[in-house]
Structure formats: structure tokens, C-alpha cells
Amino acid sequence: MASVTGFSIPMTSFAGSLKQNQVPMRISSLNSASLCLPSLRMRPARFQISCAAKPETVDKVCEIVRKQLALTADTAVTGDSKFTALGADSLDTVEIVMGLEEAFGISVEEENAQSIATVHDAAEMIDKIIEAKV
């Protein structure tokens, strides 16, 4: 079970928002203040991470990455796979992007290509480019 017992906030955003004697306060510098609050009980949160890319796009990108990097069939390639973790260097990444351009009939701008680190990144970018074409 998580608990929160205190936090610091900048004085500029804090000034005038707290009435005198409302909460114990300790000024630790001219730019921040520490508040000591009663312990708060928090429920564990469930987080879901989803990819905006279509599953079929992710699958096709996985196939292309596997082919471009000459990975064996037992090497796991998923949406979360990072190109570097699969052994790709910068030249391999360029070749992957070229393979994606050819397979999907798209053109990837250099600045977009540099931001691709995972299969999900590539799949999301591809779907955005394809949507923009329509």
C-alpha cells in the first residue's frame, strides 16, 4: 500500500493559496516550501498501455524487421521490441525504414525516421502517414 507523507511545491505557485494555520508548512528555501500532510492511502492503479497502430501494421513491421536484421525464427520480435535490443545499428535502422517505405508505399521524412526506436514507433508512424494520404 502506498502512502504520501509530504511534497514540495514552488513558492511562486503556492503564494497566497494557503490560509494561515491550514497545513503545517516548513520553508526550506526562497523558492520552495515543504508541506507535511497526513498519510494518504492510495489504491494500486492499473495502467494499460495501448498502441494507436493497427495490429496488422505492427505484425507487418515485425516481419520486415525480422527480415532486415536476418533474425532467426526463435528470436522474439514484438511491438515493444527496440531495434537496438535486436542488434540493429544506425545503418540497420536506415535499411529497416527503407524496407518499411517499400512495403507500405510511403515516404518517411528523415526527422521522423530518427525518432523510431521500437516496432510500435514505426507502426504508429506508418499509420499516421497512411491516414494523412487519404
Side-chain angles (χ1 to χ4, degrees):
M1 179 105 26
S3 66
V4 177
T5 57
F7 59 91
S8 293
I9 58 174
M11 286 299 290
T12 54
S13 64
F14 181 75
S17 65
L18 185 65
K19 294 178 183 172
Q20 189 175 9
N21 298 327
Q22 189 176 9
V23 175
M25 181 175 70
R26 179 180 69 238
I27 297 177
S28 57
S29 74
L30 295 176
N31 293 328
S32 67
S34 295
L35 299 176
C36 297
L37 300 174
S39 188
L40 303 172
R41 292 185 180 210
M42 300 170 66
R43 290 186 191 166
R46 294 183 79 181
F47 294 99
Q48 180 179 7
I49 299 173
S50 63
C51 176
K54 297 174 187 169
E56 57 270 15
T57 306
V58 174
D59 292 342
K60 192 168 181 179
V61 171
C62 286
E63 290 175 27
I64 293 165
V65 168
R66 182 179 304 283
K67 179 182 172 188
Q68 291 293 330
L69 297 178
L71 299 174
T72 61
D74 61 334
T75 303
V77 180
T78 67
D80 296 328
S81 297
K82 293 185 177 185
F83 297 153
T84 55
L86 296 171
D89 59 17
S90 58
L91 181 59
D92 292 322
T93 303
V94 169
E95 290 176 354
I96 289 169
V97 171
M98 290 171 52
L100 296 172
E101 288 177 325
E102 184 178 327
F104 288 94
I106 60 171
S107 179
V108 178
E109 306 247 345
E110 187 175 339
E111 63 230 20
N112 291 337
Q114 292 175 354
S115 68
I116 300 170
T118 67
V119 170
H120 273 159
D121 293 342
E124 287 177 353
M125 180 204 56
I126 290 165
D127 282 346
K128 285 178 185 176
I129 291 170
I130 291 172
E131 282 182 23
K133 287 172 89 174
V134 177

